[in-house]
Amino acid sequence: MVNVPFTGHAGTKPRPALVLSSEAFHRKLPALIVCPISSQPQFYNRPGGGDHPLRHWKSVGLRHPSTARLSNLMAVEKRLIKRTLAPVHADDLALIEQGLREVFSL
C-alpha cells in the first residue's frame, strides 16, 4: 500500500501497488519503481494495453478484482509506503514480467 500524491500534491490517498524494482537496485535510492493496481472494473473486465488483471487478487489481500496497470509505472518515495500485502501469485507475476518485456522491448 502506497500513499500516492494527488496531482498538485494537495494530499495523498492509499493505493495498492506492485514494487517492480529489485532490492539491489533501489537499496541506495530514495524511491521504488512501482506499478499501480486498480480496482476499477473496466480495467479488469476489458483490459487495455499494459493492463494485467490479477487472477489471484484475493490471495494478495485485495478486496476487489484488480488489475496491474503497466501503462502507469511510477517512482514512489519509500517513505510513502504504508504497509506490505502478500507477494503476487507466481502465475500473475509471470504475466506481469512478460508485459514488462513487451513495454520495454526486452
Side-chain angles (χ1 to χ4, degrees):
M1 296 299 292
V2 177
N3 277 333
V4 178
F6 292 128
T7 303
H9 305 286
T12 62
K13 187 170 189 176
R15 293 285 186 210
L18 173 63
V19 175
L20 298 175
S21 51
S22 69
E23 172 63 29
F25 177 79
H26 64 247
R27 181 178 303 130
K28 295 181 181 179
L29 299 174
L32 307 167
I33 298 170
V34 302
C35 170
I37 297 176
S38 175
S39 63
Q40 294 294 314
Q42 70 263 25
F43 302 127
Y44 191 85
N45 297 325
R46 292 178 305 284
D51 290 339
H52 293 278
L54 301 175
R55 295 179 184 157
H56 304 277
W57 55 271
K58 285 183 185 178
S59 69
V60 178
L62 299 169
R63 293 182 278 178
H64 307 284
S66 298
T67 303
R69 310 241 25 243
L70 298 180
S71 59
N72 292 334
L73 302 181
M74 65 179 121
V76 175
E77 291 181 34
K78 292 176 186 175
R79 65 180 179 81
L80 298 176
I81 304 295
K82 289 190 67 156
R83 65 185 174 99
T84 302
L85 301 175
V88 172
H89 190 279
D91 294 343
D92 288 326
L93 186 57
L95 292 172
I96 291 167
E97 287 175 345
Q98 177 59 38
L100 287 168
R101 283 191 284 279
E102 292 170 11
V103 167
F104 295 109
S105 297
L106 299 174

